């Protein structure tokens, strides 16, 4: 009888040991999955942060490139404007000189009262239009 009891005690111990082994395996698996889940979540957080950081850096680079481009364009437009202004001023000075020369020659003529002088000029950036009419009364 003792041998049978001893045998049953061994079986129970084996069953308890097998059950304990299963519980331990389950617990170790749960700990491993939890650790992997935490590692995956941390990895995901770092990847999201890095993605936002890269986007911010790209936006800063784009903004800097846009500002540089706008500054260059503004400088080019300003330079073109100054060149056009200088060319128009130069043409205007040419017209004034021509008018002064014509007036001087006209005043030197004996026949000042015989005719009237009427004229107009159009100054553009590309050319000079100058019309003089001598009207005899």
């Amino acid at each position: 009888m003792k041998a049978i009891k001893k045998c049953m005690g061994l079986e129970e111990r084996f069953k308890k040991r097998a059950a304990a082994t299963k519980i331990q395996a389950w617990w170790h698996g749960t700990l491993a999955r939890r650790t992997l889940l935490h590692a995956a979540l941390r990895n995901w957080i770092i990847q999201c942060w890095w993605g936002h950081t890269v986007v911010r850096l790209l936006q800063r680079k784009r903004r800097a490139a846009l500002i540089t481009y706008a500054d260059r364009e503004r400088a080019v437009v300003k330079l073109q404007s100054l060149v056009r202004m200088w060319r128009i001023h130069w043409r205007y000075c040419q017209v004034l000189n021509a008018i002064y020369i014509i007036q001087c020659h006209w005043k030197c003529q004996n026949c000042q009262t015989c005719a009237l002088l009427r004229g107009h000029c159009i100054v553009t950036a590309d050319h000079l239009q100058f019309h003089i009419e001598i009207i005899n009364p």
Side-chain angles (χ1 to χ4, degrees):
M1 196 85 145
K2 260 187 169 182
I4 295 176
K5 251 186 176 183
K6 212 175 190 185
C7 220
M8 289 199 50
L10 279 174
E11 266 184 46
E12 258 182 56
R13 276 195 244 155
F14 282 132
K15 283 182 182 178
K16 284 183 181 180
R17 185 171 279 189
T21 304
K22 281 185 180 181
I23 291 172
Q24 286 175 353
W26 171 82
W27 180 247
H28 287 299
T30 302
L31 288 177
R33 282 188 294 278
R34 186 183 300 164
T35 303
L36 289 174
L37 177 66
H38 285 295
L41 286 174
R42 289 180 185 130
N43 187 20
W44 179 69
I45 289 170
I46 290 169
Q47 287 175 348
C48 288
W49 170 81
W50 182 247
H52 290 300
T53 303
V54 168
V55 167
R56 275 194 312 249
L57 288 173
L58 285 175
Q59 285 176 346
R60 285 181 190 160
K61 285 181 182 179
R62 286 182 188 141
R63 188 176 298 123
L66 182 62
I67 289 171
T68 303
Y69 174 76
D71 287 345
R72 285 183 184 168
E73 285 296 312
R74 193 174 299 120
V76 166
V77 168
K78 183 72 171 178
L79 185 61
Q80 288 173 344
S81 172
L82 290 172
V83 168
R84 283 189 202 109
M85 183 181 68
W86 177 80
R87 288 179 67 193
I88 289 173
H89 179 72
W90 184 71
R91 295 217 185 261
Y92 180 73
C93 288
Q94 281 183 329
V95 169
L96 283 181
N97 287 336
I99 289 172
Y100 292 149
I101 290 171
I102 291 170
Q103 284 177 347
C104 286
H105 286 293
W106 189 258
K107 288 179 182 177
C108 293
Q109 295 292 327
N110 291 333
C111 195
Q112 296 173 16
T113 58
C114 298
L116 295 174
L117 189 65
R118 182 169 51 188
H120 68 278
C121 64
I122 299 171
V123 179
T124 62
D126 297 333
H127 62 281
L128 168 66
Q129 292 180 359
F130 189 62
H131 300 282
I132 298 176
E133 294 180 36
I134 300 174
I135 303 171
N136 286 327

